[in-house]
Amino acid sequence: MSTTLLATWKEPGKVAIEAAWAKRATGGSLLDCLEQGLAVAELDPTLMAIGLGSLPNRDGEIELDAAIMDGTDLNAGAVCALRGVVPAISVARKVLEETPHVMLAGEQARRFALQRGFTPQNLMTPQAIEAYENWKREPAKYERKYVHSLEEHYGDTITMLGWEAPRHVIAASATSGLGWKTPGRVGDSPIVGAGVYADDEIGAAGATGWGEELWKAAASFRTVEAMRRGLDAQAACEETVRHMIRRQPRSTWMPCVVLALRADGDFGAATSVGEFPLWVCRDGAMEFRSYPGLAAEYG
Ligand code: GLY
């Protein structure tokens, strides 16, 4: 069955999209392959914005957010501020499939995960501890370096969209959120309509970048609704980002990115600033694309 997968950012996106396609190639469903892509990335300790060994909050604790949404019936599962359990995306899938709820939070999300057989573990690797100690010593120097750098694509939240013919879409996202965040802070990624949205009638959209701004814009839902009005995926993404640049000036301080995958397979992406790297996999053929920041057009 014809399949398109999208994954955000250069290094983390590559890990995720290769793992997702490997799952697809062995007969996995779209849900399976997006979960697998994000789970493998979460378990990779070298990726600094997702899962094991990612950047902690101000207290030196890693708190994970994740969501997965099925365009078949708009069913969704999410976890936020989850500590000491990976992969958060797999816990989110359990929320989707094994509860009548959409989101579980914090300590109760962790309790749910442990009840479902996940193993508690310390997510702070030596590299994460070193990064935290560096930040504590010189916060100004490290504040942005690991968060969003326009020059060095350390990356951010991995958001994935999946499409299969004739008209089925899934959206999923996993992140440790902003580095050095206030404990308990939750960003756009696990929020239906902000970080992810999927509706087989129209298509799917996802977000990555500065979660507060993307959430305020209801970026994913806004983008899907733009496609519902007839825009193609690229035009819909650009409309959302231009709306943010106009209404939310702070959205030009750090990248705010949306990506979309229409129910007919058309796709696109846009970012407020910087250059946004996107991995695309069409029936196993990998392609790496780059999208320029739209704020530059406004001078
Ligand atoms: N987009 C990820 C976050 O801000 O948490």
Side-chain angles (χ1 to χ4, degrees), residues 65 156-157 175 177-178 185-189 207-212 214:
D65 300 333
D156 179 41
T157 304
T175 189
L178 288 177
R185 177 267 188 191
V186 174
D188 60 309
S189 310
T208 181
W210 193 0
E212 278 75 5
L214 290 158

Side-chain angles (χ1 to χ4, degrees), residues 52-65:
L52 179 67
S54 52
L55 294 182
N57 64 21
R58 287 178 184 272
D59 289 345
E61 287 174 303
I62 293 171
E63 291 184 333
L64 303 177
D65 300 333

Side-chain angles (χ1 to χ4, degrees), residues 96-108:
L96 167 76
E97 292 180 334
E98 298 181 14
T99 81
H101 310 305
V102 171
M103 177 180 277
L104 296 178
E107 185 50 36
Q108 303 310 323

Side-chain angles (χ1 to χ4, degrees), residues 24-220:
R24 187 63 164 175
T26 55
S29 68
L30 264 193
L31 264 181
D32 292 339
C33 68
L34 264 56
E35 179 194 355
Q36 176 76 3
L38 292 174
V40 167
E42 285 197 62
L43 294 170
D44 182 334
T46 68
L47 302 180
M48 303 194 72
I50 177 169
L52 179 67
S54 52
L55 294 182
N57 64 21
R58 287 178 184 272
D59 289 345
E61 287 174 303
I62 293 171
E63 291 184 333
L64 303 177
D65 300 333
I68 189 159
M69 183 168 187
D70 187 340
T72 312
D73 52 7
L74 277 56
N75 224 347
V79 288
C80 66
L82 175 68
R83 291 185 184 178
V85 176
V86 275
I89 191 65
S90 299
V91 185
R93 185 167 176 186
K94 294 265 183 232
V95 175
L96 167 76
E97 292 180 334
E98 298 181 14
T99 81
H101 310 305
V102 171
M103 177 180 277
L104 296 178
E107 185 50 36
Q108 303 310 323
R110 176 182 159 87
R111 194 171 88 182
F112 169 81
L114 300 187
Q115 285 166 350
R116 292 300 189 283
F118 288 80
T119 308
Q121 71 182 101
N122 178 5
L123 305 182
M124 287 291 283
T125 58
Q127 290 78 8
I129 292 168
E130 187 188 335
Y132 180 64
E133 284 169 355
N134 285 339
W135 171 76
K136 287 275 276 191
R137 213 170 29 249
E138 289 180 277
K141 180 171 173 194
Y142 290 96
E143 195 72 38
R144 289 178 67 94
K145 181 172 172 68
Y146 294 117
V147 180
H148 300 276
S149 161
L150 302 187
E151 298 79 29
E152 308 162 75
H153 290 293
Y154 277 94
D156 179 41
T157 304
I158 307 181
T159 298
M160 298 193 74
L161 303 179
W163 167 83
E164 71 185 12
R167 294 183 69 86
H168 176 43
V169 287
I170 301 279
S173 188
T175 189
S176 52
L178 288 177
W180 336 124
K181 63 191 175 185
T182 302
R185 177 267 188 191
V186 174
D188 60 309
S189 310
I191 307 299
V192 168
V196 292
Y197 201 76
D199 179 352
D200 283 1
E201 278 188 0
I202 306 299
T208 181
W210 193 0
E212 278 75 5
E213 296 305 313
L214 290 158
W215 190 347
K216 285 185 241 173
S220 294

